[in-house]
Amino acid sequence: MNTPKQNCLTGACPPIISRNMHTIKLSEGSGGREMQSLISEVRKRFPETSAWNNLRDDAATFPIGKEKHIVFTSDSYVVTPIFFPGGNIGKLAFCGTVNDLAVIGAAPTGLSFSCILEEGFSKDEFFEIIDTIASLSKQTGIPIVTGDTKVVERGGVGKIIINTSGIGITKHILSDPIQVGDRVIVSGGIGEHGTALLAKRFELESSIETDSKPLHEELIATGPFIKQAKDITRGGIAAILNELAEKNDAGIAVEEELIPLHDQVRALTEILGIDAYSLACEGRFVCITSPKNAEKTLSILRKFNPSASDIGKITNEKNVTIQTRYGKTLLAVPSGNIVPRIC
Amino acid sequence: MNTPKQNCLTGACPPIISRNMHTIKLSEGSGGREMQSLISEVRKRFPETSAWNNLRDDAATFPIGKEKHIVFTSDSYVVTPIFFPGGNIGKLAFCGTVNDLAVIGAAPTGLSFSCILEEGFSKDEFFEIIDTIASLSKQTGIPIVTGDTKVVERGGVGKIIINTSGIGITKHILSDPIQVGDRVIVSGGIGEHGTALLAKRFELESSIETDSKPLHEELIATGPFIKQAKDITRGGIAAILNELAEKNDAGIAVEEELIPLHDQVRALTEILGIDAYSLACEGRFVCITSPKNAEKTLSILRKFNPSASDIGKITNEKNVTIQTRYGKTLLAVPSGNIVPRIC
């Protein structure tokens, strides 16, 4: 190979900063500000469509007949390690796609399962993952209906990568307008998935398990009482509250002491110097209800998870604030490499 | 790390063959017999569903209302190199999913685009791929409606991996019963995608480009005249003819001299010692028509591609045979590592 001769004195040397700016960065997949910016650059290039309603969320809807909508979503999973306390990559993939449909108000109808396997990957581990998905499919009645399998050379992808896409059907898209004073409710303790992953990676002692679970039952039960919902994934509750605020052109004010946080999540994130509010969940959602329906919504959610909590309200301030014991401060969209390969 | 002490004389040494059998092999992603066997093992574990009709194809269908069906499909793309003569990984991903819908008889309604990017991947290359997809989306009117972006560490996946899933709608699923004597038609020259990829990998001189293209127009135009169709991908025409024969519990007899093969595909596959019939296409399909409709189907297909050819017929022999100048022989399902990372 010929390496071109470079002479920095004459300006022939490419500027290093500019080259770095033109490559993909880990932070662009972390669920925070950099990822939103990359996704928005991609979206701008794709032609718009009037047939589909893309809610600026992780799913799109398409009307069928007079009363129903198809809901369509897709997610890839690159988590490492692929087995962790309380679950594995298969559980994440199944639940993640079910949840993306459920927060739109859809009953999940069928999922696809595509996997990219690395040559040499243990078949016992592979079939353990398949059996986890099969058992969730049986338990929820949501079938796996199509898929794809690729195999790549050793060192190609790190054991297994999964994509699950899903279709749901709904009569009512959970996308009602919100008002100042509406309540913001979280369905359970936050950051447990991220904490379980980190504890496993750093071999820290902990009994925290991933919170990964299918949320469609909670959302079908609370559907009539809530206006909007969003599952908490990459970027944690901080990212999701900011997305909800921005999407609705509104503000959100939450109170730190009302945000449910397991003692071990608090302890481990303090040890690791990581913000629990930026840490991924895989089985929690935030919903917005009228003040009138807040108590009813909470009482339903608490049957599924006693930690469900009314954490704050919609404001007209166009930002997300958190009331701590030291005063009120902004809860910003996370940025930087929060935790790679978390989901 | 402690390496356990092994004593092969006492039998404590694990048998090498058995260990190899319990890991994923490259051949299990090649589109041939080993892949079919792995997929069938996975399918057996997933619960069955009566709501969906999975045609043992790359797509599943679900009835909506009295007259229509949703068609749903998903595919991952791991091709290397990601740019090749006539296209790139984005073109493959867009066309592959459109084609999986089109061969069921569906008008593609919307696609998802999920990508896994490697830290350090060139943004210029990334946006060239995005622009290819955007331009195909504009040209076909098939929108990208949802998606997902993950970023992994350097060395994690090799630049970019894409998953596209898709939804189509059809009134008539292309799945009519076939009869002995029905004609088997291929929509154009075969093996051109695989040859273009190999020529690029081995730096061989050739003007062959990938055949990757969206097939929905050809299939919408021929839909009323054909009984079944299947796009030719991994495993080439050999795999697809065997799949069609097995699915229909029938046989297929084709004639070598009728199979359209570009001179350079013939030359390059001979140089490389690769069977052209096992080599992937990304923009060709095989369809089955009644003898009465064969001429009409051919004349439509030839408007899209003059190489379209009636290559043989359905038999009652439950195998696939090919008549060569040396006599009639079995055209077997490919096996082994045909060509990895071809799509």
Side-chain angles (χ1 to χ4, degrees):
Chain A
M1 256 173 61
N2 295 320
T3 309
K5 283 179 188 149
Q6 291 181 340
N7 182 345
C8 290
L9 292 176
T10 64
C13 203
I16 288 167
I17 290 170
S18 142
R19 282 169 72 192
N20 277 345
M21 282 180 64
H22 285 92
T23 60
I24 297 289
K25 291 179 284 294
L26 266 184
S27 59
E28 286 172 314
S30 290
R33 193 175 297 283
E34 296 88 340
M35 189 179 90
Q36 292 309 329
S37 157
L38 180 70
I39 289 175
S40 135
E41 268 195 81
V42 170
R43 283 197 173 197
K44 269 193 300 199
R45 289 168 189 245
F46 289 148
E48 290 198 6
T49 167
S50 55
W52 288 79
N53 177 17
N54 186 317
L55 306 158
R56 297 194 62 193
D57 266 318
D58 301 327
T61 65
F62 182 83
I64 43 167
K66 280 181 191 158
E67 285 188 337
K68 288 182 182 172
H69 303 265
I70 294 178
V71 185
F72 179 33
T73 186
S74 180
D75 258 314
S76 296
Y77 296 85
V78 295
V79 66
T80 184
I82 55 173
F83 292 90
F84 42 80
N88 62 45
I89 187 172
K91 185 176 186 184
L92 282 194
F94 185 93
C95 298
T97 292
V98 164
N99 296 348
D100 277 344
L101 297 171
V103 291
I104 310 295
T109 307
L111 304 191
S112 66
F113 169 77
S114 290
C115 60
I116 303 167
L117 307 172
E118 189 170 292
E119 184 190 9
F121 176 44
S122 149
K123 280 205 178 163
D124 288 345
E125 288 188 9
F126 176 58
F127 284 113
E128 187 174 339
I129 291 165
I130 295 296
D131 288 343
T132 298
I133 296 173
S135 134
L136 283 161
S137 171
K138 201 166 176 183
Q139 175 194 319
T140 58
I142 303 167
I144 305 294
V145 298
T146 189
D148 179 45
T149 306
K150 294 282 189 305
V151 180
V152 300
E153 71 291 350
R154 278 168 208 270
V157 296
K159 296 188 175 179
I160 179 169
I161 285 175
I162 295 177
N163 177 284
T164 41
S165 298
I167 292 182
I169 290 181
T170 184
K171 283 192 178 174
H172 176 65
I173 296 170
L174 269 183
S175 169
D176 295 342
I178 61 170
Q179 286 182 332
V180 170
D182 279 349
R183 302 304 307 177
V184 175
I185 291 174
V186 62
S187 70
I190 60 151
E192 291 168 22
H193 173 69
T195 305
L197 251 284
L198 289 173
K200 168 105 182 175
R201 279 196 208 158
F202 291 105
E203 297 178 5
L204 297 171
E205 221 166 283
S206 128
S207 62
I208 288 284
E209 296 197 336
T210 175
D211 47 57
S212 171
K213 68 169 177 172
L215 293 169
H216 62 301
E217 289 184 354
E218 288 170 57
L219 278 151
I220 287 166
T222 52
F225 309 103
I226 64 180
K227 296 182 169 186
Q228 297 180 17
K230 183 124 183 76
D231 52 327
I232 311 175
T233 55
R234 280 178 291 176
I237 197 169
I240 269 56
L241 290 176
N242 276 281
E243 276 179 47
L244 279 169
E246 198 186 320
K247 177 177 153 190
N248 289 289
D249 201 21
I252 295 177
V254 296
E255 294 183 44
E256 185 163 56
E257 64 174 18
L258 300 176
I259 299 177
L261 204 62
H262 191 291
D263 283 346
Q264 286 191 39
V265 172
R266 192 186 309 274
L268 282 166
T269 51
E270 274 175 17
I271 288 170
L272 294 166
I274 286 173
D275 175 17
Y277 302 142
S278 301
L279 217 42
C281 307
E282 288 290 334
R284 301 286 183 260
F285 65 94
V286 166
C287 61
I288 302 173
T289 77
S290 66
K292 175 168 77 72
N293 283 333
E295 202 46 54
K296 176 76 184 166
T297 303
L298 256 187
S299 75
I300 296 170
L301 287 179
R302 283 186 174 150
K303 285 181 203 154
F304 292 92
N305 189 328
S307 320
S309 173
D310 180 337
I311 60 171
K313 62 183 179 190
I314 300 297
T315 69
N316 56 11
E317 288 181 27
K318 306 206 176 167
N319 59 23
V320 178
T321 60
I322 183 163
Q323 179 70 47
T324 72
R325 56 190 145 155
Y326 309 111
K328 194 163 96 170
T329 176
L330 278 182
L331 185 63
V333 182
S335 72
N337 303 335
I338 305 163
V339 186
R341 289 239 191 190
I342 199 93
C343 59
Chain B
M1 257 174 63
N2 295 321
T3 309
K5 282 181 190 151
Q6 292 180 339
N7 182 344
C8 291
L9 293 176
T10 63
C13 205
I16 286 167
I17 291 171
S18 141
R19 281 171 71 193
N20 278 345
M21 282 179 64
H22 285 93
T23 61
I24 296 291
K25 291 180 284 293
L26 266 184
S27 59
E28 286 171 314
S30 288
R33 195 174 296 284
E34 296 89 338
M35 189 179 90
Q36 292 309 329
S37 156
L38 181 70
I39 290 175
S40 133
E41 267 195 80
V42 170
R43 283 197 172 198
K44 270 193 300 200
R45 289 169 188 243
F46 289 148
E48 291 198 7
T49 166
S50 55
W52 288 78
N53 177 16
N54 186 318
L55 306 158
R56 297 193 60 193
D57 267 318
D58 300 327
T61 65
F62 181 83
I64 44 167
K66 279 181 192 158
E67 285 188 337
K68 289 183 182 173
H69 303 265
I70 295 177
V71 185
F72 179 33
T73 186
S74 179
D75 259 315
S76 296
Y77 296 85
V78 295
V79 66
T80 182
I82 55 173
F83 292 90
F84 42 79
N88 61 46
I89 188 172
K91 185 176 186 183
L92 283 193
F94 185 93
C95 298
T97 292
V98 164
N99 296 348
D100 277 344
L101 297 171
V103 291
I104 309 294
T109 307
L111 304 191
S112 66
F113 170 76
S114 290
C115 59
I116 303 167
L117 307 172
E118 189 170 291
E119 183 191 9
F121 176 43
S122 148
K123 280 204 179 164
D124 288 346
E125 289 188 8
F126 176 58
F127 284 113
E128 188 175 339
I129 291 164
I130 295 296
D131 288 342
T132 299
I133 296 173
S135 135
L136 284 161
S137 170
K138 201 167 176 182
Q139 175 194 318
T140 57
I142 304 166
I144 306 294
V145 298
T146 188
D148 179 45
T149 306
K150 295 281 189 306
V151 180
V152 300
E153 71 291 349
R154 279 168 207 270
V157 296
K159 295 187 176 178
I160 180 171
I161 286 174
I162 294 177
N163 177 284
T164 41
S165 298
I167 292 182
I169 291 180
T170 185
K171 282 192 177 174
H172 175 65
I173 296 170
L174 270 183
S175 169
D176 295 342
I178 61 170
Q179 286 181 333
V180 170
D182 280 349
R183 302 304 306 176
V184 176
I185 291 173
V186 62
S187 70
I190 60 151
E192 291 168 23
H193 173 69
T195 305
L197 252 283
L198 289 173
K200 168 104 183 176
R201 280 196 209 157
F202 291 106
E203 296 178 6
L204 298 171
E205 221 167 283
S206 128
S207 62
I208 288 284
E209 296 196 336
T210 176
D211 48 55
S212 171
K213 67 169 177 171
L215 293 170
H216 61 302
E217 289 185 355
E218 289 171 57
L219 278 151
I220 287 166
T222 52
F225 308 103
I226 64 181
K227 295 181 169 187
Q228 296 181 17
K230 182 124 183 78
D231 53 326
I232 311 176
T233 56
R234 279 178 291 176
I237 197 170
I240 270 57
L241 290 176
N242 276 282
E243 275 179 47
L244 278 169
E246 197 186 321
K247 178 178 151 189
N248 289 288
D249 201 20
I252 295 177
V254 297
E255 294 182 44
E256 184 162 57
E257 66 174 17
L258 299 176
I259 298 177
L261 204 61
H262 192 291
D263 284 346
Q264 286 192 39
V265 172
R266 193 186 309 276
L268 282 166
T269 51
E270 274 174 16
I271 289 171
L272 294 166
I274 286 174
D275 176 16
Y277 302 143
S278 302
L279 217 42
C281 307
E282 288 290 334
R284 300 286 183 260
F285 65 95
V286 167
C287 61
I288 303 173
T289 77
S290 66
K292 174 170 78 72
N293 284 332
E295 203 45 57
K296 176 75 184 164
T297 303
L298 255 187
S299 76
I300 296 171
L301 287 179
R302 283 186 175 150
K303 285 182 203 153
F304 292 93
N305 189 328
S307 318
S309 174
D310 180 336
I311 60 171
K313 62 183 179 190
I314 300 298
T315 69
N316 57 10
E317 288 181 28
K318 306 206 174 167
N319 60 23
V320 178
T321 61
I322 182 163
Q323 179 70 46
T324 73
R325 57 193 144 152
Y326 310 111
K328 195 163 96 170
T329 174
L330 278 182
L331 185 63
V333 183
S335 71
N337 302 334
I338 306 162
V339 185
R341 288 240 191 190
I342 199 94
C343 58

